[in-house]
């Protein structure tokens, strides 16, 4: 829980100290300067951002960070500094050291592998490395969705253009960062993936979509990442927003964006970090003092000022003036302070900050991380088309035939080794408007020309022969190019963001046309186009018959490209997002072999599948606390049959469905598919097999989606997009009239008290409650449940009554001893937790259960339900539970429980159809 003001260290009552914790600042240089020392010692600066201009090597970084933390410790800081870096991989890495820090693919490159597991492993490896040198906050992952994918400056830094896929990969990355002990910061809220450069007088990119449009796409990964519960901070961008409902010049200075949209609508409770306020457009309009005050007033907790010391001092002065003038309330300062301190408490400590493991740890993990890097890059290489089977070149190009490599002269891009000399020489460029909005100044600089020279040498070595290599520019096709094309039998053209460098598009099409004409004369002119950044350069241009994508042009990516071109690896990557889905359309009628689930053969693989799903899902889905055993009841009154789609060679499960039958009710209790295998009809195949099994039961009268026992999925999980229900619509279910089921929780049972007047109301109504165990006195209870609920709920009650030491049933009666309602109570050690995953805690806390309240609708039903819940909470507290879970609350019945202090945890829709009314779609 957040500390109150009275619990804070008395030091923080000094506003100068508190204000220092609300700023994150950087500087240029690889050593501690008097200016940054002054900020830490005299202005109590609590957070530092390090960029490529600060970092030369892993050893130097560890030493630098340790020195910064020592300065803070000796200056009396109660908690260590936050040390933040951009370490996105691909082209954006602040820290590069080829001896100790590994290069991994960009976010889009990782998505191209199709592996959520790989995304998690890469994020964990990256965070482990930067943590070893003292970094405790990664400014990532990028949560933006490329709604205009072909023309957006973020490019491969984003996962792609599909919001659900972006959510899955980003949540996996967040989990990887957190499991390595590093704090996370999603970016760039509300989105840099949908901006237009309208050439405004403010030099400012603009979002023109309405909030409704943003909610359907751009905001989806942000919402899902927040719901996942492990995102520590959110980076709020500096874009403008112009639509019918909002006219904002700088998102990070707008209360509408930060407080209203981010906090109130999306429910974010972590640290909000502003975009760097050293933007010329902001300085010209508001001044740094005014901008800093506006950023705090908007709801930001950390205000970023990247490097100019005079500007940084002006910002500190502005915050103090804002307090003195009464613009910023002291409570506002302490709200941010507590958020920042809470984040520090989970990602650092003085013991950790003053003793980074440095090279001793990095040298141990480097070999395994190098292997992971190579695996990731090899799996990311994507062959979009190879119409004439030109790949591998070892089979289509003879040794004596000549090969020509044509590479663009690209601007320096963030990341890699070829760059150190450029940095040391102080290389500076004049960034374009696009580039100023993608933080390229915070990543290392990679010389594209140098990397492409090495690419040429690698190809020559691979083919053990000569390679012709030259570059091309905006000057177009020159005589030297024509001469080389005439000589060569095969040509490889490299493009890098051709959609933003149109000369590359024109040059490539010119060469393609020339090759086509020469082939018409009988000459061999094989053409391969390789996009080394954005995959969209020629993705839709079918005139380019062989098209390969690498998603970045670091040395590691180029090494994997050479292996792919020459057949050392078989490229397995695929275009991310909607293009991957469109490519799968042709497979949507694929028939998958569905087999019976075999516990001995499949249980381990099912556990692996559940863990994969957990890493790419929000906690509102139960995968994290579900095991393979959660689906098997072994109940004599319930028939069960479960099915899988599996790879018989690797033993991997691609999908699973669980079915149950009891007393006329046939139910699907779970249906899920590996996130990387969706949209190829596995779910449809499993569904068809499950329905065939259920409809073979001669006396089945009701078909149901969702089950209370086992209660892994009481129904179809409710999501804002409605995609889950629409999938079942598409396979033949009528989902119009669901029964809404809610799981609720009291998170802090120790601090909970009964609502005032509840006990008196119960007494006035003449209600009484008792607790029974065992089946001896159960007949009235089971009859009551059978009358008002389905047969599977009867079996749930029967199971609970048999668990005499850990479970029981509370009965509500009136003064005439008539049974008015029932609920199951269980302790954390009950076997019910096997079948109701919400009773499991990931943090080891005891969770008491209040399960399946059955209260018929009467004038007193609201009070009866509250009475049963109260009795359940009291029992849970008596058994030393830290939390109370109230599961399976029907329809609107959760409202009186909210008044008691319960919070909604998960929401499901139980859907029932009669067999004759269901027309199941073919797969």
């Amino acid at each position: 829980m957040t500390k109150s003001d009275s619990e804070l260290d008395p030091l923080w009552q000094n506003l100068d100290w508190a204000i220092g914790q609300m700023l994150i600042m950087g500087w240029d240089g690889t050593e501690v300067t008097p200016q940054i020392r002054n900020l830490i010692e005299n202005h109590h600066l609590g957070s530092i951002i390090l960029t490529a201009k600060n970092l030369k090597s892993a050893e130097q970084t560890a030493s630098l960070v340790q020195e910064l933390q020592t300065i803070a410790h000796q200056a009396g800081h109660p908690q260590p500094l936050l040390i933040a870096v951009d370490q996105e991989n691909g082209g954006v890495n602040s820290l590069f050291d080829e001896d100790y820090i590994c290069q991994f693919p960009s976010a889009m490159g990782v998505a191209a592998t199709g592996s959520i597991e790989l995304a998690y492993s890469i994020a964990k490896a990256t965070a482990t490395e930067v943590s070893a040198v003292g970094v405790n906050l990664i400014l990532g992952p990028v949560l933006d969705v490329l709604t205009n994918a072909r023309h957006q400056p973020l490019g491969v830094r984003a996962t792609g253009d599909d919001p659900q896929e972006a959510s899955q990969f980003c949540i996996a990355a967040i989990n990887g960062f957190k499991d390595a002990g590093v704090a996370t910061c999603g970016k760039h809220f509300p989105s840099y993936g949908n901006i237009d450069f309208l050439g405004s007088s403010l030099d400012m990119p603009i979002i023109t979509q309405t909030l409704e449009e943003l909610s359907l796409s751009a905001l989806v990964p942000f919402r899902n990442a927040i719901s996942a519960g492990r995102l520590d901070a959110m980076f709020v961008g500096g874009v403008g927003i112009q639509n019918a409902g909002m006219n904002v010049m700088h998102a990070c200075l707008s209360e509408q964006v930060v407080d209203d949209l981010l906090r109130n609508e999306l429910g974010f409770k972590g640290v909000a970090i502003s975009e760097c306020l050293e933007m010329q457009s902001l300085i010209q309009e508001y001044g740094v003092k005014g901008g800093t005050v506006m950023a705090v007033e908007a709801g930001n907790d950390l205000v970023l000022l990247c490097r100019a010391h005079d500007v940084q001092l002006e910002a500190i002065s502005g915050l103090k003036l804002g307090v003195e003038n009464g613009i910023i309330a002291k409570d506002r300062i302490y709200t941010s302070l507590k958020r920042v301190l809470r984040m520090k408490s989970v990602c650092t400590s003085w013991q950790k900050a003053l003793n980074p493991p440095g090279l001793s740890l990095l040298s141990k993990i480097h070999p395994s991380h190098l292997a992971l890097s190579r695996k990731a890059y090899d799996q990311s290489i994507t062959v979009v088309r190879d119409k004439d089977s030109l790949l591998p070149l070892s089979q289509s190009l003879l040794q004596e035939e000549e090969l020509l490599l044509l590479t663009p002269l690209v601007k320096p891009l963030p990341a890699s080794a070829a760059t150190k000399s450029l940095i040391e020489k102080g290389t500076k460029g004049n960034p374009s408007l696009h580039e100023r909005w993608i933080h390229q100044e915070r990543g290392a600089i990679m010389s594209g020309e140098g990397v492409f020279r090495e690419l040429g040498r690698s190809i020559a070595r691979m083919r053990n022969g000569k390679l012709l290599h030259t570059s091309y520019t905006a000057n177009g096709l020159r005589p030297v190019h024509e001469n080389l094309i005439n000589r060569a039998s095969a040509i490889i053209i490299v493009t890098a963001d051709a959609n933003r460098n149109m000369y590359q598009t024109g040059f490539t099409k010119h060469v393609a046309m020339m090759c086509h004409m020469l082939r018409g004369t009988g000459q061999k002119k094989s053409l391969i186009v390789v996009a080394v950044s954005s995959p969209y350069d020629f993705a839709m241009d079918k005139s380019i018959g062989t098209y390969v994508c690498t998603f970045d042009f670091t040395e590691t990516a180029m090494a994997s490209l050479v292996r792919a071109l020459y057949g050392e690896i078989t490229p397995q990557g695929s275009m991310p997002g909607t293009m991957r889905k469109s490519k799968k359309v042709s497979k949507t009628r694929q028939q998958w072999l569905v087999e019976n689930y075999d516990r001995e053969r499949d249980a381990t693989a099912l556990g692996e599948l559940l863990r994969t799903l957990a890493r790419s899902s929000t906690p509102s889905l139960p995968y994290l606390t579900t095991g393979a055993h959660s689906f098997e009841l072994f109940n004599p009154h319930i028939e069960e049959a479960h099915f899988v789609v599996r790879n018989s060679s690797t033993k991997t499960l691609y999908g699973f469905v669980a079915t149950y039958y009891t007393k006329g009710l046939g139910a699907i209790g779970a249906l899920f598919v590996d996130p990387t295998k969706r949209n190829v009809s596995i779910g449809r195949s499993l569904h068809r097999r499950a329905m065939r099994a259920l409809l073979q039961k001669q006396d089945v009268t009701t078909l149901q989606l969702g089950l209370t026992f086992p209660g892994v999925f009481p129904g179809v999980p409710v999501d804002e997009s409605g995609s889950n229900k629409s999938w079942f619509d598409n396979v033949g279910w009528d989902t119009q009239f669901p029964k809404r089921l809610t799981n609720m929780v009291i998170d802090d049972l120790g601090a909970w008290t009964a609502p005032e007047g509840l006990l008196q109301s119960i007494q006035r109504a003449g209600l009484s409650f008792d607790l029974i165990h065992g089946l001896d006195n159960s007949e009235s209870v089971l009859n009551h449940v059978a009358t008002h609920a389905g047969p599977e709920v009867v079996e749930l009650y029967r199971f609970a009554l048999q668990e005499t030491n850990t479970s029981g049933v509370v009965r509500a009666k009136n003064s005439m001893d008539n049974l008015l309602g029932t609920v199951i109570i269980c302790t954390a050690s009950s076997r019910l937790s096997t079948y109701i995953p919400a009773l499991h805690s990931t943090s080891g806390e005891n969770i008491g259960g209040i399960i399946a309240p059955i209260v018929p609708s009467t004038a007193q039903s609201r009070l009866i339900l509250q009475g049963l819940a109260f009795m359940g909470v009291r029992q849970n507290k008596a058994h030393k539970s830290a939390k109370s879970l109230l599961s399976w609350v029907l329809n609107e019945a959760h409202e009186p429980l909210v008044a008691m202090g319960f919070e909604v945890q998960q929401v499901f829709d139980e859907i029932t159809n009669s067999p004759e009314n269901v027309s199941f779609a073919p797969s």
Side-chain angles (χ1 to χ4, degrees):
M1 292 183 67
T2 306
K3 292 182 178 180
S4 65
D5 290 355
S6 60
E7 294 176 88
L8 286 171
D9 189 305
L11 181 76
W12 302 122
Q13 297 304 316
N14 181 330
L15 271 177
D16 286 355
W17 274 94
I19 284 171
Q21 295 299 303
M22 294 180 64
L23 298 161
I24 177 167
M25 296 177 172
W27 81 102
D28 288 347
T30 57
E31 297 177 352
V32 172
T33 61
Q35 291 81 6
I36 197 69
R37 180 184 288 273
N38 171 53
L39 290 170
I40 297 169
E41 291 180 338
N42 300 319
H43 297 283
H44 321 299
L45 176 65
S47 301
I48 301 284
I49 181 169
L50 297 176
T51 73
K53 294 185 178 181
N54 304 117
L55 310 178
K56 293 193 297 187
S57 67
E59 185 175 20
Q60 174 265 342
T61 301
S63 175
L64 177 66
V65 172
Q66 191 172 33
E67 184 179 358
L68 291 167
Q69 295 287 18
T70 301
I71 291 168
H73 191 247
Q74 292 175 349
H77 285 235
Q79 285 187 273
L81 302 170
L82 281 176
I83 306 291
V85 296
D86 283 297
Q87 195 79 359
E88 296 175 19
N89 290 314
V92 181
N93 280 342
S94 294
L95 174 60
F96 184 84
D97 183 330
E98 57 190 333
D99 295 323
Y100 295 105
I101 303 295
C102 279
Q103 177 70 46
F104 294 104
S106 63
M108 194 178 288
V110 174
T113 71
S115 172
I116 300 293
E117 284 290 303
L118 202 54
Y120 170 84
S121 298
I122 288 168
K124 188 174 181 181
T126 300
T128 302
E129 290 179 351
V130 297
S131 176
V133 297
V135 171
N136 49 41
L137 171 61
I138 284 186
L139 298 177
V142 171
L143 297 170
D144 304 282
V145 178
L146 299 178
T147 53
N148 184 8
R150 289 161 184 76
H151 301 287
Q152 288 304 322
L154 282 178
V156 295
R157 294 177 61 201
T159 299
D161 61 354
D162 180 80
Q164 294 301 336
E165 184 172 280
S167 298
Q168 291 168 357
F169 279 93
C170 289
I171 289 171
I174 290 168
N175 287 333
F177 292 153
K178 291 292 288 180
D179 288 352
V182 173
T184 60
C185 176
K187 59 188 184 186
H188 312 78
F189 188 82
S191 180
Y192 279 5
N194 53 336
I195 48 181
D196 286 316
F197 291 87
L198 302 178
S200 69
S201 59
L202 288 175
D203 235 17
M204 180 74 61
I206 303 293
I207 295 173
T208 57
Q209 292 172 297
T210 65
L211 280 179
E212 291 76 13
E213 290 169 331
L214 288 170
S215 293
L216 291 173
S217 180
L219 293 180
V220 170
F222 292 96
R223 184 186 299 116
N224 288 338
I226 290 167
S227 297
R230 302 191 79 186
L231 191 64
D232 300 290
M234 188 73 80
F235 186 93
V236 185
V239 292
I241 305 175
Q242 292 181 5
N243 57 47
M246 192 180 286
N247 187 11
V248 169
M249 300 311 292
H250 302 272
C252 62
L253 305 187
S254 168
E255 190 175 353
Q256 280 182 284
V257 175
V258 186
D259 267 351
D260 293 349
L261 182 57
L262 178 60
R263 295 208 186 278
N264 297 335
E265 289 194 36
L266 299 191
F268 183 62
K269 296 177 182 177
V271 173
I273 304 176
S274 79
E275 172 65 279
C276 180
L277 298 194
E278 295 180 18
M279 298 180 289
Q280 279 305 308
S281 57
L282 185 145
I283 290 172
Q284 293 299 319
E285 190 164 353
Y286 303 113
V288 173
K289 286 183 180 178
T292 306
V293 171
M294 289 177 69
V296 172
E297 278 293 278
N300 292 288
D301 305 299
L302 279 175
V303 178
L304 173 61
L305 295 122
C306 294
R307 58 173 64 92
H309 188 59
D310 57 337
V311 174
Q312 292 167 342
L313 293 177
E314 195 178 342
I316 294 169
S317 171
L319 276 184
K320 292 178 181 178
L321 272 176
V323 175
E324 289 173 18
N325 292 346
I327 300 172
I328 302 174
K330 288 185 179 180
D331 283 352
R332 174 69 195 82
I333 299 288
Y334 286 112
T335 296
S336 286
L337 174 65
K338 285 182 279 189
R339 287 185 187 131
V340 172
L341 294 181
R342 183 174 57 204
M343 182 164 77
K344 286 188 175 186
S345 70
V346 300
C347 71
T348 189
S349 65
W350 280 122
Q351 171 62 29
K352 186 177 177 182
L354 295 173
N355 302 281
L359 300 190
S360 62
L361 174 61
L362 290 173
S363 58
K364 290 177 186 174
I365 61 178
H366 195 59
S368 63
H369 285 194
L370 274 178
L372 178 65
S373 169
R374 177 165 175 158
K375 174 184 176 183
Y377 272 107
D378 284 354
Q379 291 186 15
S380 72
I381 303 298
T382 299
V383 176
V384 180
R385 287 182 301 277
D386 186 19
K387 194 163 60 178
D388 297 322
S389 300
L390 302 183
L391 300 177
L393 282 170
S394 53
Q395 294 181 12
S396 66
L397 187 67
L398 299 176
Q399 180 69 35
E400 62 271 17
E401 292 177 320
E402 293 197 272
L403 173 63
L404 169 63
L405 175 65
L406 296 168
T407 56
L409 282 178
V410 296
K411 292 181 179 179
L413 287 177
S416 185
T419 163
K420 291 184 180 178
S421 61
L422 292 176
I423 295 175
E424 287 162 3
K425 290 173 186 172
T427 300
K428 292 183 180 179
N430 295 314
S432 70
L433 177 56
H434 282 76
E435 289 157 354
R436 282 200 293 264
W437 290 92
I438 57 175
H439 310 302
Q440 290 197 356
E441 74 281 0
R442 298 216 291 262
I445 300 206
M446 176 177 60
S447 160
E449 192 175 3
V451 171
F452 294 148
R453 261 199 307 271
E454 180 55 35
L455 169 65
R457 285 193 285 264
S458 297
I459 292 174
R461 284 193 297 269
M462 183 66 78
R463 73 183 307 244
N464 294 314
K466 189 175 177 183
L467 175 81
L468 307 172
H469 180 197
T470 190
S471 58
Y472 64 94
T473 68
N475 292 326
L477 196 69
R478 314 300 293 169
V480 63
H481 300 126
E482 293 181 4
N483 291 336
L484 291 171
I485 291 168
N486 277 313
R487 281 178 57 184
S489 298
I491 299 99
I492 300 172
I493 303 180
V494 170
T495 64
D497 292 307
N499 283 302
R500 291 208 306 274
N501 300 287
M502 293 304 294
Y503 77 90
Q504 296 180 21
T505 303
F507 181 87
T508 302
K509 289 191 172 184
H510 197 157
V511 173
M513 182 176 67
M514 186 176 172
C515 289
H516 178 73
M517 292 172 61
L518 291 171
R519 279 195 297 271
T521 67
Q523 297 183 51
K524 181 178 179 180
K525 296 295 169 192
S526 303
L527 177 64
I528 299 169
V529 175
V530 179
V532 296
S533 187
S534 168
Y536 301 105
D537 289 358
F538 291 94
M540 306 303 290
D541 189 341
K542 299 293 177 62
S543 69
I544 305 298
T546 300
Y547 183 55
V548 183
C549 300
T550 69
F551 306 96
D552 71 57
F553 53 96
T554 56
E555 290 94 331
T556 323
M558 295 300 94
S560 289
L561 170 64
V562 174
R563 288 194 290 275
L565 290 175
Y566 276 87
E568 281 197 0
I569 60 170
T570 302
Q572 300 292 326
S574 59
M575 289 288 286
T578 55
M579 291 197 69
R580 179 174 11 234
K581 288 184 176 179
S582 67
K583 198 165 185 180
K584 289 179 178 178
V585 166
S586 61
K587 301 180 183 178
T588 57
R589 298 301 175 201
Q590 183 172 340
Q591 303 273 348
W592 290 85
L593 289 175
V594 179
E595 303 178 49
N596 291 321
Y597 173 76
D598 181 317
R599 185 186 320 109
E600 189 172 324
R601 181 194 68 197
D602 298 327
T604 300
L606 178 55
E608 285 295 326
L609 176 56
L610 288 164
R611 281 188 287 277
T612 297
L613 287 158
R615 286 183 176 142
S616 63
S617 305
T618 66
S620 61
L621 297 174
Y623 301 117
L624 190 60
T625 51
T626 301
H629 53 281
S630 300
F631 303 100
E632 294 190 278
L633 292 173
F634 306 107
N635 185 301
H637 303 286
I638 299 178
E639 297 178 41
E640 51 188 309
H642 313 317
F643 306 97
V644 297
V645 169
R646 57 189 289 269
N647 183 320
S648 59
S649 300
T650 65
K651 316 303 182 193
T652 305
L653 290 196
Y654 293 159
F656 173 84
V657 65
T659 70
Y660 305 88
Y661 174 78
T662 179
K663 295 184 179 177
L665 172 70
I668 293 179
L671 195 164
F672 45 82
V673 174
D674 184 322
T676 66
K677 297 293 181 182
R678 290 176 184 165
N679 303 301
V680 292
S681 215
I682 291 173
R684 283 175 172 263
S685 298
L686 286 165
H687 177 265
R688 187 181 71 252
R689 181 66 185 88
M691 295 312 302
R692 187 186 306 148
L694 294 174
L695 290 169
Q696 284 172 351
K697 307 295 181 186
Q698 291 187 353
D699 53 350
V700 64
T701 58
T702 304
L703 295 171
Q704 185 169 296
L705 290 175
L707 209 63
T708 313
F709 185 52
V712 180
F713 287 99
V716 178
V718 173
D719 63 323
E720 290 197 25
S721 67
S723 60
N724 292 328
K725 271 171 64 175
S726 67
W727 189 89
F728 285 102
D729 276 331
N730 291 335
V731 294
W733 289 82
D734 181 353
T735 66
Q736 289 185 80
F737 305 106
K739 184 197 298 182
R740 181 61 54 92
L741 304 173
T742 305
N743 285 348
M744 310 185 75
V745 69
I746 295 174
D747 269 323
D748 186 359
L749 209 51
W752 183 86
T753 55
E756 191 175 343
L758 177 60
L759 288 174
Q760 294 87 331
S761 298
I762 290 171
Q763 290 166 355
R764 283 196 300 270
L767 300 178
S768 63
F769 301 87
D770 66 358
L771 176 64
I772 67 167
H773 302 276
L775 293 173
D776 292 344
N777 303 310
S778 66
E779 186 176 354
S780 64
V781 168
L782 294 178
N783 287 337
H784 167 81
V785 176
T787 302
H788 300 290
E792 83 281 15
V793 188
V794 175
E795 295 308 317
L796 173 64
Y797 266 76
R798 196 191 309 276
F799 183 92
L801 286 163
Q802 290 172 320
E803 291 276 300
T804 53
N805 293 325
T806 57
S807 304
V809 172
V810 173
R811 301 184 295 189
K813 298 181 179 181
N814 61 15
S815 56
M816 305 293 292
D817 207 37
N818 295 322
L819 187 59
L820 303 177
T822 58
V823 73
I824 296 168
I825 309 297
C826 67
T827 68
S829 58
S830 168
R831 284 203 303 142
L832 272 175
S833 64
T834 300
Y835 303 112
I836 301 175
L839 288 170
H840 274 293
S841 168
T842 55
S843 56
E845 297 172 303
N846 282 346
I847 301 179
I850 309 167
I851 311 297
I854 307 296
V855 181
S857 182
T858 66
Q860 286 188 310
S861 56
R862 178 187 177 105
L863 187 59
I864 295 166
L865 178 61
Q866 287 183 313
L868 289 168
F870 172 73
M871 294 300 295
V873 171
R874 198 159 73 175
Q875 286 291 319
N876 290 166
K877 290 185 80 166
H879 286 97
K880 303 292 190 288
S881 296
K883 298 181 179 182
S884 270
L885 172 80
L886 179 49
S887 181
W888 205 72
V889 180
L890 295 176
N891 296 321
E892 301 306 316
H894 71 279
E895 292 177 359
L897 299 169
V898 171
M900 290 180 64
F902 284 92
E903 296 179 353
V904 173
Q905 184 185 56
Q906 299 160 318
V907 183
F908 302 89
D909 279 340
E910 181 190 278
I911 295 163
T912 55
N913 286 182
S914 60
E916 60 271 17
N917 289 342
V918 179
S919 173
F920 291 105
S923 289

